[in-house]
Amino acid sequence: MESLIDSITAFLSGLFGLAQGGFDGVNQVMGLLIAVIAALLMPAWNRLWATALGAAFVHILIGVVRPVLDGAPLVLPPLLTLSFWMTVLALFLGYAIVIAVFFLIKSLVTGGGHGRKAHAH
C-alpha cells in the first residue's frame, strides 16, 4: 500500500513540476497575450481544455514561424521526441491555469461565462 502511495505522490509531484515549468513558459509577454486572446474567445468553462490545447499549439507555431520572419530557414520542431511532447504538455498545463484565471476575471467583469443562454419569451 505504501508503494502505491509513493507512486501516486511521485506522479503528482512530477505533474506539478511540469505545470510549474509550463506556467513559467506562459508567463512571458507572448504567452500572456496568447492567454488573454484565448480567454476572450473562450465561450464557457467547458471549453477550457480545448482552448488551452489550442493556445499551446499556437505558442509552438509562433516559435517555429518567428525565426523564419527574421530570415532564418524553416526548422520544424522535433515532433517524434518525448521532450517536444513534454514541452507541449507543460505549455498545455500552464495555459490551462492562466486562461482559467483570465476567464474567471472575464466572467466576473461581464457577468457571463456560465454557459447559459438567454431565452426570449
Side-chain angles (χ1 to χ4, degrees):
M1 184 68 172
E2 283 188 33
S3 65
L4 176 64
I5 293 173
D6 291 339
S7 297
I8 291 171
T9 303
F11 173 76
L12 292 176
S13 175
L15 193 62
F16 178 72
L18 196 60
Q20 186 176 14
F23 183 74
D24 290 342
V26 173
N27 199 12
Q28 299 172 9
V29 173
M30 180 182 75
L32 291 174
L33 285 174
I34 292 170
V36 166
I37 292 169
L40 290 173
L41 294 176
M42 192 168 78
W45 281 108
N46 62 352
R47 301 298 298 160
L48 175 63
W49 304 117
T51 305
L53 184 63
F57 280 115
V58 166
H59 188 105
I60 297 293
L61 183 66
I62 290 172
V64 169
V65 172
R66 190 179 344 170
V68 173
L69 296 176
D70 291 336
L74 177 65
V75 178
L76 295 177
L79 298 174
L80 300 178
T81 62
L82 180 62
S83 64
F84 170 76
W85 291 106
M86 293 301 285
T87 301
V88 172
L89 179 60
L91 285 171
F92 168 73
L93 294 172
Y95 275 113
I97 294 166
V98 175
I99 290 170
V101 170
F102 286 151
F103 189 74
L104 175 65
I105 293 168
K106 173 188 160 187
S107 299
L108 292 173
V109 169
T110 63
H114 42 72
R116 286 190 244 160
K117 296 182 180 164
H119 296 289
H121 292 283

